[in-house]
Amino acid sequence: MTSTSGFHRALVGGCLLLAALAAFAQPRPQPQQSVLDLSYRIGRPTFPVAAYRDMGVPEFRSMVSSAFQKSGFSFVAVNAQKDKSTVFEFRFDVDPKTRLAPMVLVSADELLDGRKKCNPCFLRFAEIRNAQDIKALPWMAQYDLSARLVPAIDNAYATIESVGREHLDPSFGFNYKRQWAGEQNLFGNAFVGISMPGLKESIVRAYRNAGFVPIEGDVPSQAPELLLAFSFPLDPAKDGGVVYKVKIRSQYDADGHCHPCEATEQYNPYQPLPPAGLSGVLSRATLESRFTAARNAAYDNMRTELERHLRPRSGFLVPPKPAPLGSPPPPPTPPVAT
């Protein structure tokens, strides 16, 4: 009896272990990409921005509050926490159509001497309290909001650096680096004010005129994502070619126009190519140069047709090639030992 019950316990334990391993092996959901992540990634760093000495608390708090107010924020509150840290709360007033006002928190550790002066007062980085709400907005709203919010945070810290220079602890310096470096598109080239059929037609024409062969497929008129498939001839005299796709991720305005639609190429430079055969040796030898020239021509055609529809404040992008076409695949990355 003891042996049987022990076997049952071992069997149940083994099943539970297998279930746990299976759950652990499931792919974990990737964090949602957002425009805000392209330009503001500070989070909660360990080291402070700066340390101030021989400065009264009212003067220190006024310096921080005034800098953010000068940069377009409304002061909400300043709260001293139980752990001696002080948290400033600001609201960034934006277009009410977004129905979302970013809330920014700035922490400080106020360590005082016997005269109630900073000794030191540590200033920390700004944290966007409702960042997840901002990341849930449509991309176009994120583009517009990030282009105002992130430079405003940068400008506030620049003002603090200038105003507080006299009391800055030189052993710390001022460690804030501007986050805003111009706009970047979330996916690829971003277009607005054009219908999806019009955008699709322009892209297909750009690639067809450059030597790619479109592979027709059914595409819903307002699909959130679609793939335009093409083939690039391995041998101009024969059927078959390199698989090449353009992926379009789309959002639309009230009139059904792109707001924005973002197009990016998708192809595998390491895709296996069929044997060239005796008659195709020369074509195969020139494949990479022909493909590069055709790809460049397709992007030039797209630029000519669609540049006037680019999202405001963005420029036309030609992504770098990942590798020459037909390259051997890179060796697999070894697993990280833990």
Side-chain angles (χ1 to χ4, degrees):
M1 188 71 176
T2 304
S3 174
T4 303
S5 61
F7 173 77
H8 284 164
R9 285 198 300 272
L11 180 61
V12 170
C15 291
L16 290 175
L17 177 60
L18 289 174
L21 290 173
F24 181 77
Q26 293 297 319
R28 300 184 180 183
Q30 295 297 314
Q32 181 181 3
Q33 256 189 319
S34 88
V35 174
L36 189 61
D37 291 332
L38 298 178
S39 56
Y40 196 80
R41 310 181 187 184
I42 282 191
R44 286 179 171 270
T46 302
F47 296 103
V49 172
Y52 294 91
R53 296 185 182 275
D54 199 27
M55 190 179 199
V57 170
E59 184 183 359
F60 173 73
R61 293 184 180 183
S62 175
M63 176 183 69
V64 176
S65 299
S66 298
F68 274 85
Q69 290 174 342
K70 182 179 178 181
S71 194
F73 292 84
S74 295
F75 175 75
V76 176
V78 58
N79 298 305
Q81 308 293 312
K82 292 181 180 179
D83 61 358
K84 304 297 185 183
S85 65
T86 300
V87 178
F88 300 81
E89 184 174 4
F90 302 97
R91 182 181 65 251
F92 189 62
D93 297 316
V94 293
D95 189 337
K97 289 187 295 185
T98 64
R99 299 183 181 179
L100 176 65
M103 304 300 294
V104 171
L105 306 179
V106 179
S107 299
D109 299 313
E110 298 172 341
L111 308 178
L112 309 180
D113 59 19
R115 301 172 299 157
K116 302 296 183 181
K117 299 267 189 182
C118 290
N119 190 34
C121 290
F122 292 107
L123 174 68
R124 299 194 177 275
F125 293 90
E127 178 184 357
I128 303 171
R129 189 182 70 185
N130 53 348
Q132 294 307 314
D133 295 331
I134 295 174
K135 294 176 183 181
L137 291 172
W139 314 330
M140 200 67 188
Q142 289 189 50
Y143 283 127
D144 293 339
L145 185 54
S146 297
R148 297 175 60 187
L149 172 61
V150 180
I153 294 174
D154 286 343
N155 292 338
Y157 277 97
T159 299
I160 293 172
E161 181 180 16
S162 176
V163 171
R165 188 171 289 118
E166 179 184 349
H167 297 282
L168 184 66
D169 186 334
S171 63
F172 279 86
F174 197 87
N175 300 317
Y176 186 89
K177 306 297 182 187
R178 293 187 72 88
Q179 294 290 293
W180 186 253
E183 290 208 17
Q184 303 174 58
N185 290 335
L186 184 57
F187 299 113
N189 284 304
F191 304 102
V192 298
I194 184 173
S195 69
M196 173 51 67
L199 177 63
K200 175 191 171 186
E201 181 181 345
S202 293
I203 293 176
V204 169
R205 182 165 51 246
Y207 277 90
R208 181 193 294 118
N209 291 344
F212 289 79
V213 179
I215 302 173
E216 292 297 332
D218 295 330
V219 178
S221 60
Q222 285 198 336
E225 289 191 1
L226 63 90
L227 283 173
L228 302 179
F230 301 89
S231 174
F232 184 76
L234 289 168
D235 183 343
K238 295 182 179 180
D239 293 334
V242 174
V243 178
Y244 184 96
K245 297 178 180 179
V246 176
K247 186 169 188 175
I248 305 177
R249 298 174 175 89
S250 306
Q251 292 185 149
Y252 303 95
D253 61 17
D255 297 322
H257 293 149
C258 291
H259 196 73
C261 297
E262 304 203 358
T264 183
E265 67 177 1
Q266 294 202 334
Y267 76 97
N268 177 13
Y270 312 110
Q271 58 188 277
L273 305 177
L278 292 177
S279 62
V281 172
L282 180 59
S283 295
R284 187 61 54 86
T286 61
L287 174 62
E288 167 59 17
S289 60
R290 288 188 292 111
F291 175 77
T292 299
R295 177 180 178 269
N296 291 340
Y299 271 106
D300 286 341
N301 295 341
M302 282 179 60
R303 187 198 304 267
T304 300
E305 288 219 13
L306 295 170
E307 196 163 30
R308 66 186 184 279
H309 293 292
L310 286 174
R311 179 179 64 79
R313 302 184 305 275
S314 72
F316 190 83
L317 307 172
V318 179
K321 288 181 60 181
L325 192 61
S327 298
T333 304
V336 178
T338 57

